[in-house]
Amino acid sequence: MNYFQQNRERCLEELKEFLRIPSISTLSEHKPDIRRAAEFVAAQLRKAGLNGVELIEGEGNPLVYGEWLGAAGKPTLLFYGHYDVQPPEPLNEWMSPPFEPTIRGDNIYARGAADDKGLTLILIKAIEGVMAMRGSLPLNVRFLIEGEEEVGGEHIESYVAKRPPRLQSDAAVICDTEMFAPELPTLCIGLRGIVYGELIVKGARQDLHSGIYGGAAPNPLMAIAEILCALKDRDGHIRIPGFCDRVRPPAAAERAAWARLPFDEEKYRMEEMGAQELTGEAEYPLFERLWARPTLEVHGVRGGFTGEGAKTVIPAQAVAKISTRLVPDQQPEEAIEQIRKAVAKTCPRGVTAEFRLIHGAAPSMVNPENRFLRAAARAMTEIFGNETVYIRSGGSIPIVGHFDKHLGIPSVMMGFGLPDDNLHAPNEKLYLPNFYRGMEAVARYLDIAADGS
Ligand code: BES
Ligand code: MN
Ligand code: MN
């Protein structure tokens, strides 16, 4: 029995401890929990045997840093994860409370179980295990764990942009993605970018009686509906001028590989999504729609009357939270300009409409031929006993673009979540076999990456 098998129970207990901290980065009342989570990570890094562990303070939530640089002449890997989580609402839909980790079957349920506390701990425990078994690592590692990924990660971007010598590495290892299926080791080689903002629409000076003024007064909620329908049509096509010009279609070989993935679209629709029908641009296959086409979504609309019963009112103002996902080679700055122009052009008479940016991140792609990716594929294949597949993901991880742009290093996106982990949703979970196999896969990766492949 190796260290990982011997220490399963204790690792699980430590995961539970981490999951009990409600480190929600969107809500300022959770600042003390954010700090507790950062300190938990720092203590874990020290326990794993890393040196120079400290919290890097800045404008936002602390970054947690640690290193082990005892393998002269060997490559250096920069390990990344995040300790912040999304808000747990709606609470009544959770089968057990979001911050009371609960095991049911092979899964542990809690907010952050898969995104990203469980996966971050996999990285740390892999190092702890190798250090405990051998007293050293086969290559050099640095850890940079952040606490505001879920809100756009400004602190980490400004820190990485300074190119501190402390971050100098040959490749990054990002543990924040999912596998395509439970037994299918997966490397993610592409992510969508994002532009997230608020559409603020204003009409009359104040709310108005809809009987007395209806027919003459502008209605900001109607205006939001009109603008949104003009930005994206009923068939899922984005109608923002120029928006799709830079979209690079996937290569034929990548498309063909996606078509070979073991996948049951009906099961996906019924069980994973629970929807009547899949929508979107019908002329593109599903994975292309999810991974290689831009989208526009509305997340919430605020304004007017939403209480019990009826109130006949024309609201003076309404706000919609919206985002677009970007694919290579779209860029956030250009997309923001295009959105602003399109909003101005489609804004109906009688109201003003403004797009206020909340955060943005570039899309990213990595070359699967890179030696650090090939090593990762070998390690995953060995541990999971199946050939590793390469996929993209529709989600966004801003740091991948920053590592590329500022440090010039590729990111190996080796993640252990599953498609039904309910990220950002009620009943988020982590499949426990992946928690343990993940540690072994990362440990194996260190050896293979150390010697090239
Ligand atoms: N870990 C996710 C992104 C992800 C999920 C990538 C599944 C691949 C597979 C990350 O924490 C996340 O949720 N990112 C946000 C973006 C952020 C800028 C708010 C997202 O994608 O909405
Ligand atoms: Mn994440
Ligand atoms: Mn997330």
Side-chain angles (χ1 to χ4, degrees), residues 19 88 91 94-102 104 109-111 427:
L19 292 173
L91 291 175
W94 284 78
M95 285 166 65
S96 49
F99 297 105
E100 289 174 27
T102 305
R104 285 193 292 278
Y109 290 81
R111 171 58 85 231
N427 303 307

Side-chain angles (χ1 to χ4, degrees), residues 82 86 115 149-150 424:
H82 60 94
Q86 288 273 330
D115 188 13
E149 193 275 346
E150 300 291 7
H424 297 198

Side-chain angles (χ1 to χ4, degrees), residues 261-329:
L261 289 167
F263 186 70
D264 181 339
E265 194 166 305
E266 267 308 285
K267 206 169 157 216
Y268 169 81
R269 178 185 68 75
M270 298 236 304
E271 289 173 26
E272 193 176 325
M273 191 181 295
Q276 264 178 30
E277 208 179 308
L278 298 183
T279 61
E281 299 174 301
E283 65 274 39
Y284 295 97
L286 180 64
F287 295 131
E288 189 160 343
R289 268 157 38 216
L290 295 172
W291 299 341
R293 293 289 303 167
T295 60
L296 186 150
E297 294 298 338
V298 51
H299 309 292
V301 181
R302 191 173 68 223
F305 178 71
T306 55
E308 199 184 327
K311 178 186 179 192
T312 45
V313 67
I314 299 174
Q317 185 180 327
V319 178
K321 302 252 184 196
I322 65 173
S323 77
T324 57
R325 296 280 168 172
L326 310 178
V327 299
D329 299 312

Side-chain angles (χ1 to χ4, degrees), residues 103-315:
I103 294 172
R104 285 193 292 278
D106 282 332
N107 295 296
I108 184 164
Y109 290 81
R111 171 58 85 231
D115 188 13
D116 184 38
K117 287 174 170 173
L119 305 200
T120 300
L121 204 58
I122 286 173
L123 293 178
I124 303 177
K125 291 298 166 197
I127 300 298
E128 181 188 297
V130 176
M131 286 294 275
M133 287 185 279
R134 302 189 211 157
S136 67
L137 301 177
L139 43 59
N140 304 298
V141 305
R142 303 178 189 278
F143 270 76
L144 187 65
I145 309 297
E146 75 163 310
E148 41 184 40
E149 193 275 346
E150 300 291 7
V151 287
E154 277 160 34
H155 184 193
I156 202 166
E157 171 163 30
S158 61
Y159 184 70
V160 171
K162 284 187 279 189
R163 302 172 198 229
R166 261 212 287 215
L167 294 188
Q168 194 163 28
S169 308
D170 297 290
V173 178
I174 313 282
C175 202
D176 194 21
T177 54
E178 44 192 37
M179 309 206 313
F180 190 77
E183 306 303 321
L184 210 56
T186 305
L187 289 175
C188 176
I189 56 166
L191 293 169
R192 288 196 286 196
I194 189 168
V195 167
Y196 196 115
E198 281 179 337
L199 185 60
I200 301 164
V201 178
K202 292 180 180 167
R205 185 177 61 241
Q206 59 185 23
D207 288 5
L208 300 169
H209 188 295
S210 71
I212 301 175
Y213 297 100
N219 186 320
L221 276 169
M222 281 300 297
I224 280 186
E226 284 179 52
I227 294 170
L228 292 177
C229 292
L231 297 185
K232 186 171 94 172
D233 73 17
R234 296 170 62 101
D235 300 318
H237 303 115
I238 294 180
R239 292 293 180 212
I240 301 168
F243 198 78
C244 296
D245 289 359
R246 290 189 202 277
V247 172
R248 177 157 41 102
E254 196 176 19
R255 259 203 200 108
W258 294 348
R260 284 194 304 270
L261 289 167
F263 186 70
D264 181 339
E265 194 166 305
E266 267 308 285
K267 206 169 157 216
Y268 169 81
R269 178 185 68 75
M270 298 236 304
E271 289 173 26
E272 193 176 325
M273 191 181 295
Q276 264 178 30
E277 208 179 308
L278 298 183
T279 61
E281 299 174 301
E283 65 274 39
Y284 295 97
L286 180 64
F287 295 131
E288 189 160 343
R289 268 157 38 216
L290 295 172
W291 299 341
R293 293 289 303 167
T295 60
L296 186 150
E297 294 298 338
V298 51
H299 309 292
V301 181
R302 191 173 68 223
F305 178 71
T306 55
E308 199 184 327
K311 178 186 179 192
T312 45
V313 67
I314 299 174

